[in-house]
Amino acid sequence: MTIRVLLADDQALLRATFRILIDSCDDLEVVDEATDGAEAVDLARVHRPDVVLMDIRMPGTDGLSATTTICADPELSGTRVLILTTFEIDEYVAQALRAGASGFLGKDVSADALLDGIRTVASGDSLLSPVATRALITRFLTTPAPSARLAPPDALSGLTTREREVMALAAEGHSNDEIADKLVVSPLTVRTHVHRAMTKLGARDRAQLVVIAYQSGLVQASPPN
């Protein structure tokens, strides 16, 4: 199955580079290009891509506003947003993750990492494993405004002990394979627990599950470096 990608970036050269790279893969294709956030929203509704590769800083409607709109649209529930950014604007990335983005990549990312990132997000997983991303989460997602919370304080009461355990390990940045090793279960069992927790909590994907884990206090934030 081909993963359909929408590019959203105001830099024509960068869009062209990404298009060539993505279209060179048999399992990926670029369906269209947007030059700003408003166009990204419109084209997402037209094409309903699997992944929107979204720049944050664009003229007019920025990537953050576009991400919020796309992730809040029930007609686009199958579309994932992968943020392109630099670490200097990590607070905006945190807001995008709260809104439903599935992760982020730096603009200096390698070609292989970009392609793998698109595939990861399209599969329903999230790019939350790197140390830099965990630092981002602990810095900005643990003390959100009440309106930014993704679940009420007692939301975890419906989870089983094992679902909480798996959720906590996922929030610490562990992959399914790593969690399986720690708990001495199969990766498939871990994936099942993750999806059950997502369903019970109304999390759009694994990224939102991690946000809820920090916001609810299931996982304690590490002091920022």
Side-chain angles (χ1 to χ4, degrees):
M1 184 178 295
T2 302
I3 297 170
R4 304 168 69 252
V5 181
L6 171 65
L7 301 177
D9 197 296
D10 62 318
Q11 298 181 46
L13 180 58
L14 198 56
R15 292 199 312 274
T17 301
F18 285 153
R19 176 183 277 275
I20 292 171
L21 178 62
I22 292 168
D23 284 344
S24 70
C25 300
D26 293 336
D27 62 330
L28 303 172
E29 70 168 330
V30 174
V31 295
D32 215 330
E33 300 177 18
T35 59
D36 61 27
E39 190 177 15
V41 172
D42 290 341
L43 292 177
R45 288 170 173 161
V46 170
H47 297 287
R48 300 195 181 184
D50 299 299
V51 176
V52 179
L53 195 59
M54 181 82 74
D55 185 24
I56 285 253
R57 287 180 170 174
M58 291 184 288
T61 303
D62 63 17
L64 177 59
S65 297
T67 296
T68 301
T69 301
I70 289 171
C71 293
D73 189 338
E75 296 297 319
L76 296 175
S77 60
T79 296
R80 307 292 182 223
V81 177
L82 178 56
I83 299 293
L84 279 173
T85 186
T86 57
F87 292 123
E88 287 78 13
I89 54 173
D90 52 4
E91 185 172 4
Y92 295 121
V93 179
Q95 294 177 42
L97 287 175
R98 290 193 195 110
S102 294
F104 74 92
L105 289 171
K107 282 197 171 182
D108 58 351
V109 67
S110 69
D112 287 343
L114 174 66
L115 298 174
D116 287 345
I118 292 171
R119 295 183 181 107
T120 296
V121 167
S123 73
D125 287 328
S126 56
L127 294 179
L128 297 176
S129 294
V131 172
T133 312
R134 292 202 299 272
L136 161 77
I137 292 171
T138 58
R139 239 177 111 188
F140 291 107
L141 299 190
T142 53
T143 55
S147 61
R149 289 194 177 277
L150 296 177
D154 61 347
L156 301 188
S157 61
L159 301 185
T160 65
T161 300
R162 181 46 62 94
E163 286 166 354
R164 288 178 183 233
E165 191 173 14
V166 169
M167 182 176 171
L169 289 170
E172 291 172 356
H174 297 291
S175 67
N176 285 353
D177 288 343
E178 291 169 341
I179 296 172
D181 288 341
K182 285 178 177 292
L183 301 181
V184 195
V185 296
S186 71
L188 179 59
T189 297
V190 172
R191 192 175 187 86
T192 298
H193 286 307
V194 168
H195 281 280
R196 284 178 179 167
M198 285 168 49
T199 299
K200 290 180 179 179
L201 296 171
R204 179 185 176 92
D205 58 14
R206 191 184 183 104
Q208 286 200 336
L209 192 69
V210 170
V211 174
I212 293 170
Y214 278 98
Q215 290 184 353
S216 67
L218 179 65
V219 177
Q220 297 300 315
S222 302
N225 293 331

